[in-house]
Each structure stands twice: as structure tokens, then as C-alpha cells.
Amino acid sequence: MAPQTLTENPFTLGVASGDPLPGSVVLWTRLAPRPYQVGGGLPPTGSVSVGWEIADDDRFGTPVQSGTVAAPAADNYTVHLDVRGLETAHVYYYRFHVGQWTSPVGRTRTAPAAGAAVSGLRLGLASCQQYDEGYYTALAHLAREDLDAVLFVGDYIYENAINAQAGARRYTDRPLPAVFNHWTVTLDDYRLRYALGKSDPDLQAAHASHPWIVTWDDHEVENNYAGDISQHNDPVAQFRKRRAAAYRAYWENMPLREAQRPKGPDMILYRRFQYGGLAQFDVLDTRQYRSDQAYGNGWNYPGPESENPARTLTGAAQERWLLDGFHASTATWNVIPQQVVFCRRKNTTAARSRLSMDAWDGYPASRQRVLAGAQQAGIGNLVVLTGDVHVHYAMDIKKDFNKPASPTLGVEFVGTSISSGFDGVDKPADWPTMTAANPHMKFYNGRRGYVLLSLDAQRVRADFRTVTGVRNPGAPISTAASFVSEAGNPGLKRA
Ligand code: FE
Ligand code: CA
């Protein structure tokens, strides 16, 4: 369709950038004059030509590059522009144009050159933004941090029916149409759910301020799904159709390259990013290839089923890719942004205790293969980054979690949630038990927020940022605790 025929602002969902490489970054937007309608208010077929420009400054005096890119109806009028030939480790500003309309301005940053000396990196770790459980206030604060990139590790949307009466947000301010009153199953359902989230100004600000490196967890498709197996064991063919719809909507709405575009129910989301010689990021997908949870999805006693070495959380191909990446790595830090808790968590102090069968605790052989591979490759500075559980944790990764004196192989930072779980509390009810039962757990906090991560040649530092609440907008941010782990001497210490 001709851009001139757009009579309403199509840039209602903001802009985004992501997957920074040396001299390259993906720029994203979506045209949706009416974001809460199926199709966004545009025709079901066709394409719109979108102008774009990228510049050194936010006034776009002399654009570094510019051009046009197609926003096809088949991609729900999203744009995924893979800009190349940019400078390395460089801040850029970008925007889009259609007809009389201009998008908000985004700011992004390319990755440093391969092997470059990088003095430091600052990253945000975020996850879990259930729209109906609270405002995205933490993202407004994240937008204002000085960061190289945001790592978002899953639950970007939730698939639940949104009951406008029960939600934490004051819907009287902004009533939701009935299209959000049922569970997401179809492509239209998933697309609408992304439009809902992306209409939030705080989420738009966080995307416009930093490039994001994203991976998903379960709720982008369905709670606790495992590969082809849905939570309630739907027929596999039916669930694969739902997964295909969910993956397609995910790709459309994330700043991802063509290489990640799904083929039916399959989408390669695990991928690697290098920040010069300082850090290698191996982004995992622990949902698409995993064996079904042992003993159900919840907390249960480990046994022969969970400990079966044939079970996998990553799938064989991704595991091989990860271990090969450890062997090839020359980085000071090996960082693994991923979904579910890596360290052992018992929920009683008894020797025999229940574990979360959905996390790495339910796949101990997978965890051992990753740790053994890291050790064989001489990976001394391992940092695992996690979402999913809606609380902050800082934990030492132990060679044997049952022996507190065994070597510490790395550290894990778990980055609470943006809004899932409502306001939360500093010390949840199980706080004394969890910290006593798991001596490698050095910190636990149940507020909403994110982790600010800084890396340099000497240490990794995590600042656990929290907001006082999300039921009302505008809560201030503060740092609940800060931890460091030294390069060459893994183990958490209070900063
Ligand atoms: Fe979540
Ligand atoms: Ca989850």
C-alpha cells in the first residue's frame, strides 16, 4: 500500500535494536495504527516501504546510512533491518519514516571489533513482564542506565487470559478490549499480546535506549512446555501448530536477524556474541529441545527419572555448540544468558529434599556435562544469568552442590522480574529455609527489578536493583545488594 494512504500514526509500538555484532546491529519497528486490532489497522496483504536513517547524533544532521526497507503484511508489518558497515563499539541513533509520520528516535551501540581490548562492559539483565501483574516501572529505570546492552532472558509476554478485574494495573485508566480476555493460541492471539506489551511506554523507552539481546522462556508459548510437550499433554501435532504461531509472533516482534526466522515450529535462537577479548555471551534456549520434565512440572524429589543421563535440557546439538564454544573461547569472561535456575536449590534443609523439576535441578546430567565441558576447556570465569523465578538470587556454582567445600566453578545471577508476581517482598516466606538449605546461595530478594552487571578484566559485579512496587506506577529504584566475583578466583563477595 502507498505510505500516503496512512492516515493515522503507525509508530504506536516504538522502535528497538538488538543482536549487536562488530559494526552491525538489527533495527526494528512495527507499523500498527490500531495495535489492539487484529492486523493493526492495516490490510491483510501487501507491504509498506519504510524509510530509515542511522546517525551519530539524535538530530540526524548527517545520517551515516539511510534507505528504505519493506514492512510486509506477512510479517505483520514489522521491520528487521540488519544494518552493516557501521563502526565498532559505537553509539548510533536511528529512526523510521512513513509518509508524514516519523518514529520515536532509538539509541543503539555496536559490538567492539573481534579481539579488541575492551576496558569494561555494563549490561542489564531483565525477564518476566506479566502485563496484568504490574507496571513496567523497572524498565523505565533500566532505560536510564548507561548500558552496552540489555539481556532479556524470557517471559516477554504471558499467554494467560487477562482478566481486567483482577489485574494490578488500574485498567480504569486504560480499559483493555475483549481480545485479551482469552488464552493465546492462534497467531493473531500472540501478535496481539506483543502489541499489548509493546504499547507500554516504559518498555518502549527501554528498547529505544539500548540494544537488546533476547531469548525466550516458556510463557512466550505456554507455561512449562518442554519441546513438543505442552503442560497438559495436548496432542503433539496441535501443540506444534501453537508453537509455530508463538515462535512466528516472537520473531516478528523481536530485533532478530533473518537467521532466527522460524521455519514452522522450529527456530534457532541459541547464538553467540563476542565483546572483544573481554566477554563471550552464549545465549541458550532451554525450552525448544528439552526432554519433558521428570515427575511432573513442579517441585519433587529427584530420582532415577530426573537423573537419567539420556535426558537433556539443551538438546544434543546445542550442548555440542556450547562446549565447542568453550573450547574456542579466548574471552576473559564466559557469560551464559539463559532461562531457568542453574544452581541446586533444595527447599528444606533435609538431606533428601524436593527440587524444581523445571530448572537445571530436574536435568542434573545436562548440568554436569556443561560444567565438565567448561572445566575441560579451562573456562575459569563462568557467569550464568537467569530469569524465570521472579526473585533475585546470587549463587556460587559448586562442583558438588552437596559439598560446600568443593570448588566454586563460577557464579550465577538470577534477575527477579520486571512485573510478574506483583509487588513482592524483600524476604519471601521461604527465605530462611532456602538460604539455610543452600549454602552457595549468597543473596535472595523478592522485589521486582533487574540486575545491573558490570564486567572488566578484574571482576564481575552485580547490582541487584529493586523497585518498591508495581501496582502503582512511578516507584523509585534502589540497589538492594551488590556482589563481585574476581577473575581467576570465582566466588561471590559483597561489594
Ligand atoms: Fe516468568
Ligand atoms: Ca518462566
Side-chain angles (χ1 to χ4, degrees):
M1 72 184 276
Q4 295 77 5
T5 60
L6 278 168
T7 55
E8 293 170 272
N9 178 19
F11 296 111
T12 56
L13 302 175
V15 297
S17 71
D19 278 18
L21 297 175
S24 170
V25 69
V26 177
L27 306 183
W28 176 96
T29 194
R30 183 182 157 208
L31 308 180
R34 298 186 181 186
Y36 295 175
Q37 289 180 9
V38 171
L42 295 177
T45 58
S47 183
V48 174
S49 179
V50 179
W52 61 274
E53 54 188 325
I54 187 165
D56 285 333
D57 68 275
D58 62 2
R59 286 161 295 125
F60 296 87
T62 46
V64 173
Q65 291 188 37
S66 61
T68 58
V69 60
D75 292 342
N76 207 23
Y77 292 98
T78 56
V79 165
H80 301 252
L81 179 69
D82 185 0
V83 186
R84 311 217 178 161
L86 299 169
E87 286 182 50
T88 55
H90 196 84
V91 171
Y92 288 101
Y93 296 84
Y94 61 93
R95 64 185 178 188
F96 299 93
H97 305 275
V98 172
Q100 63 176 299
W101 309 101
T102 298
S103 76
V105 173
R107 181 180 181 276
T108 191
R109 194 189 289 248
T110 57
V118 176
S119 59
L121 272 179
R122 286 167 61 83
L123 304 152
L125 171 67
S127 61
C128 294
Q129 46 195 24
Q130 186 158 350
Y131 187 88
D132 45 326
E133 293 195 346
Y135 285 90
Y136 295 166
T137 310
L139 289 174
H141 294 291
L142 187 69
R144 289 191 279 268
E145 304 274 10
D146 176 20
L147 303 176
D148 290 272
V150 168
L151 305 168
F152 193 92
V153 293
D155 293 356
Y156 191 99
I157 59 157
Y158 284 71
E159 80 283 22
N160 62 297
I162 295 178
N163 179 341
Q165 303 309 311
R169 292 193 187 220
R170 291 181 296 182
Y171 288 112
T172 48
D173 295 352
R174 191 164 32 150
L176 285 182
V179 290
F180 299 109
N181 288 354
H182 62 270
W183 290 71
T184 59
V185 177
T186 68
L187 179 59
D188 285 341
D189 294 337
Y190 285 106
R191 283 171 162 175
L192 283 165
R193 200 56 63 96
Y194 285 97
L196 177 63
K198 282 174 172 289
S199 65
D200 183 279
D202 295 338
L203 178 55
Q204 289 189 16
H207 274 300
S209 301
H210 315 292
W212 284 36
I213 295 171
V214 300
T215 186
W216 53 35
D217 191 27
D218 50 348
H219 288 288
E220 283 87 349
V221 182
E222 186 217 31
N223 181 46
N224 282 357
Y225 83 97
D228 284 340
I229 314 289
S230 81
Q231 182 179 18
H232 302 295
N233 296 304
D234 298 335
V236 166
Q238 179 189 319
F239 183 66
R240 283 174 68 82
K241 270 180 79 174
R242 184 179 181 187
R243 197 176 96 171
Y247 283 10
R248 181 169 167 184
Y250 183 83
W251 183 86
E252 286 174 352
N253 283 285
M254 294 297 129
L256 292 168
R257 286 190 169 75
E258 198 59 31
Q260 272 61 56
R261 184 192 281 274
K263 295 182 175 68
D266 303 309
M267 175 166 156
I268 297 170
L269 193 56
Y270 62 88
R271 61 209 191 283
R272 181 166 291 132
F273 298 92
Q274 311 275 2
Y275 274 75
L278 186 63
Q280 171 169 313
F281 297 88
D282 293 326
V283 180
L284 299 190
D285 170 2
T286 64
R287 282 291 160 194
Q288 190 174 179
Y289 316 106
R290 67 159 70 192
S291 314
D292 197 13
Q293 289 89 350
Y295 307 116
N297 295 335
W299 286 68
N300 224 321
Y301 293 105
E305 190 182 329
S306 63
E307 287 167 5
N308 180 352
R311 296 176 72 256
T312 177
L313 192 63
T314 58
Q318 182 176 204
E319 182 178 294
R320 186 74 265 150
W321 167 88
L322 178 64
L323 301 192
D324 287 349
F326 285 157
H327 280 281
S329 175
T330 56
T332 303
W333 296 97
N334 285 85
V335 184
I336 305 183
Q338 54 93 50
Q339 296 75 27
V340 290
V341 170
F342 189 80
C343 286
R344 203 233 25 226
R345 282 182 307 152
K346 297 184 348 182
N347 68 352
T348 71
T349 51
R352 185 171 145 74
S353 181
R354 292 175 197 265
L355 303 170
S356 169
M357 288 296 136
D358 186 58
W360 288 83
D361 271 342
Y363 303 77
S366 245
R367 179 168 60 198
Q368 272 322 112
R369 288 193 295 271
V370 169
L371 289 178
Q375 279 199 288
Q376 280 161 20
I379 298 302
N381 301 315
L382 185 67
V383 179
V384 175
L385 303 178
T386 305
D388 181 49
V389 286
H390 310 167
V391 294
H392 278 314
Y393 292 126
M395 293 188 273
D396 283 341
I397 299 172
K398 304 302 286 187
K399 186 176 170 77
D400 182 346
F401 287 103
N402 290 318
K403 295 184 178 136
S406 77
T408 297
L409 304 183
V411 295
E412 178 177 18
F413 300 119
V414 182
T416 191
S417 68
I418 293 301
S419 68
S420 309
F422 302 97
D423 288 347
V425 292
D426 291 330
K427 294 184 178 180
D430 63 348
W431 184 89
T433 309
M434 293 298 281
T435 49
N438 304 289
H440 51 278
M441 185 182 286
K442 305 301 181 188
F443 179 64
Y444 180 9
N445 177 286
R447 294 281 184 195
R448 308 286 74 82
Y450 55 88
V451 180
L452 196 60
L453 207 69
S454 25
L455 295 159
D456 62 28
Q458 281 77 43
R459 83 225 185 319
V460 57
R461 175 186 172 117
D463 297 298
F464 289 92
R465 307 278 274 160
T466 56
V467 291
T468 47
V470 293
R471 284 181 185 271
N472 294 296
I477 192 103
S478 62
T479 300
S482 300
F483 286 84
V484 296
S485 176
E486 294 164 13
N489 182 26
L492 294 166
K493 300 183 185 78
R494 284 260 180 183

